[in-house]
Amino acid sequence: MEFVRLLLVFLHLLGMAMLIGTFMLQAKAGAGAPVNKGWLHGAGLQLITGLILMGLDPINDEVEYNPIKIGIKLLVLVVIGGLALGFLRKPTAPSWLNPTLGGLVVLNVGLAVFWT
Ligand code: HEM
């Protein structure tokens, strides 16, 4: 069971890396570029791995998660996914979108690490 949790944390961290990588790609693409689909892939991976980690919590003796913290992280992720989805069909992403999405990802990393 501990191996499964570690595998999920491993994928969860790769999902975070994917989101930060997408932030950099989006910044490089500059104004006038459409929303990079990496936002949705990264957000989807975070959602799936995070929910499974939460689901395994009751049968995992190693850790105990704070449900309020996870709820807020979930909310932040829904905003990230909602914003990315909302602008997916538009030909260009507004200039505020990339820093906002990147900031929300960093917010979730901060919540994950500093809120014990
Ligand atoms: C942008 C979205 C997210 C980012 C960047 C993110 C980032 C992180 C990071 C960096 C950790 C490791 C913290 C540490 O080990 O000290 C972590 C752990 C965790 N995250 Fe997330 N997270 C996100 C979304 C979510 C969501 C939506 C959920 C749940 C639905 C979730 C559930 C968890 C859980 C349960 C852990 C603890 C894993 C463990 O140590 O056993 N995360 N997250």
Side-chain angles (χ1 to χ4, degrees):
M1 184 49 65
E2 177 60 358
F3 175 74
V4 176
R5 183 183 75 85
L6 291 177
L7 188 64
L8 287 162
V9 174
F10 172 76
L11 293 173
H12 200 67
L13 293 177
L14 287 182
M16 172 185 67
M18 194 186 289
L19 288 168
I20 297 294
T22 303
F23 169 78
M24 288 172 172
L25 285 175
Q26 189 84 60
K28 193 162 175 252
V35 171
N36 191 309
K37 287 196 182 69
W39 287 116
L40 291 174
H41 299 149
L45 185 56
Q46 292 308 80
L47 182 66
I48 292 167
T49 50
L51 285 178
I52 301 176
L53 278 165
M54 270 310 278
L56 291 179
D57 194 21
I59 52 169
N60 201 331
D61 302 331
E62 303 296 325
V63 283
E64 201 170 313
Y65 303 130
N66 177 343
I68 302 170
K69 163 177 141 174
I70 301 293
I72 294 175
K73 280 181 71 185
L74 185 57
L75 205 70
V76 171
L77 189 78
V78 167
V79 175
I80 293 173
L83 281 173
L85 258 182
F87 287 99
L88 197 64
R89 300 215 177 276
K90 308 255 191 258
T92 59
S95 58
W96 54 265
L97 189 66
N98 198 41
T100 304
L101 293 175
L104 289 171
V105 172
V106 173
L107 172 65
N108 257 3
V109 177
L111 288 174
V113 172
F114 293 110
W115 189 349
T116 49

